[in-house]
């Protein structure tokens, strides 16, 4: 296997996931996404979406999209930590439900809010940018975070007492964008406490 890594929150999700799952030893190639190497050959032939991360398998298949990469690694290991997807069909369904809600309603609007705002210079010639949507996308993400805050009251993690891919997704994005004009809302006390627990884990430094 070869892991195509770069700066940015998406590759970090996979690195934190691997740290929590106890997966080590996968060779890494770093892609210069600031310089745009991800948007040209030879990278485009590997991942036609032109984004990082990607995981090249030994049979030549390339897996992209962070949730697909994490699910694949969770299955094939070899891993020394617990599954971050789940042991039973019910656990796996619960993880995927929360991962999809978080991905669609929080991660994507946060990332696009950035791409169309602070990241406009970098992204305007790469993807279709809608600068006037930046503030609204950030606000939409914040609304869903406040919704989530009420739902995780009394829970250690998003899926109760199980650390899952949903926690990793949300933590990495909140942590990354907190420093780029999308700070944590101090009124979301449950998320703040959860964030503190996630930040204290050794995996946060991955
Ligand atoms: N939906 C993709 C998003 C990947 C993504 O946006 N990656 C960023 C790095 S955090 C990237 O490659 N940005 C450079 C670019 O889009 O040109 C996934 O799940 O992996």
């Amino acid at each position: 296997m070869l892991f195509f890594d770069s700066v940015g929150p998406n590759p970090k999700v996979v690195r934190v996931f691997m740290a929590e799952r106890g997966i080590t030893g996968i060779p890494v190639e770093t892609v210069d996404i600031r310089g745009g190497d991800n948007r040209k050959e030879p990278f485009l032939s590997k991942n036609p979406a032109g984004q990082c991360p990607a995981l090249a398998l030994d049979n030549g298949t390339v897996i992209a999209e962070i949730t697909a990469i994490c699910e694949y690694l969770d299955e094939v290991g070899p891993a020394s930590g617990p599954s971050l997807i789940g042991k039973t069909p019910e656990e796996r369904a619960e993880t995927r439900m929360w991962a999809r809600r978080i991905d669609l309603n929080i991660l994507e609007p946060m990332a696009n809010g950035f791409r169309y705002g602070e990241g406009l210079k970098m992204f305007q010639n790469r993807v279709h940018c809608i600068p006037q949507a930046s503030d609204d996308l950030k606000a939409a993400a914040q609304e869903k975070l406040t919704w989530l805050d009420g739902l995780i009251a009394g829970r250690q993690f998003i899926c109760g007492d199980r650390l899952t891919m949903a926690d990793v997704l949300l933590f990495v994005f909140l942590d990354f964008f907190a420093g780029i004009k999308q700070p944590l809302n101090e009124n979301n006390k449950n998320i703040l406490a959860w964030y503190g627990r996630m930040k204290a884990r050794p995996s946060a430094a991955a």
Side-chain angles (χ1 to χ4, degrees):
M1 278 193 252
L2 179 61
F3 180 57
F4 291 97
D5 197 3
S6 75
V7 293
N10 286 283
K12 180 158 179 178
V13 164
V14 179
R15 295 198 303 271
V16 172
F17 188 95
M18 287 195 281
E20 287 289 348
R21 185 70 168 111
I23 295 172
T24 53
I26 298 180
V28 173
E29 185 174 312
T30 302
V31 180
D32 177 10
I33 64 167
R34 288 201 183 98
D37 287 357
N38 54 309
R39 297 271 169 184
K40 41 188 194 215
E41 295 296 348
F43 189 81
L44 269 187
S45 293
K46 300 182 192 351
N47 178 11
Q51 292 177 315
C52 270
L55 183 71
L57 310 187
D58 294 341
N59 71 1
T61 303
V62 178
I63 314 282
E65 305 300 329
I66 50 175
T67 50
I69 296 172
C70 289
E71 290 235 20
Y72 177 78
L73 290 173
D74 198 87
E75 274 189 49
V76 301
S80 58
S83 169
L84 273 74
I85 307 298
K87 292 189 295 292
T88 64
E90 291 74 21
E91 283 188 358
R92 290 193 284 275
E94 190 190 25
T95 301
R96 290 169 182 142
M97 171 181 77
W98 276 111
R100 184 146 172 84
R101 284 177 176 160
I102 287 168
D103 202 2
L104 290 175
N105 297 313
I106 302 174
L107 272 43
E108 268 306 294
M110 281 186 103
N112 282 331
F114 166 76
R115 289 180 186 119
Y116 306 164
E118 296 77 17
L120 189 61
K121 258 201 182 138
M122 175 169 163
F123 284 99
Q124 60 192 355
N125 296 321
R126 299 185 185 204
V127 293
H128 185 105
C129 288
I130 314 167
Q132 66 276 19
S134 173
D135 288 347
D136 279 337
L137 286 165
K138 292 174 187 171
Q142 288 303 322
E143 278 169 28
K144 283 294 178 190
L145 279 163
T146 297
W147 170 74
L148 180 61
D149 186 67
L151 293 172
I152 64 167
R155 293 190 197 180
Q156 199 188 352
F157 300 111
I158 291 164
C159 294
D161 55 9
R162 270 187 319 124
L163 175 84
T164 68
M165 176 171 69
D167 297 286
V168 176
L169 291 170
L170 186 63
F171 168 70
V172 171
F173 273 68
L174 290 188
D175 195 47
F176 184 83
F177 286 113
I180 320 175
K181 301 220 172 136
Q182 297 191 64
L184 293 174
N185 179 348
E186 298 289 324
N187 296 321
N188 289 338
K189 301 289 181 214
N190 299 316
I191 288 184
L192 277 187
W194 163 89
Y195 176 85
R197 290 192 289 278
M198 293 298 294
K199 186 86 178 167
R201 300 177 75 86
S203 65

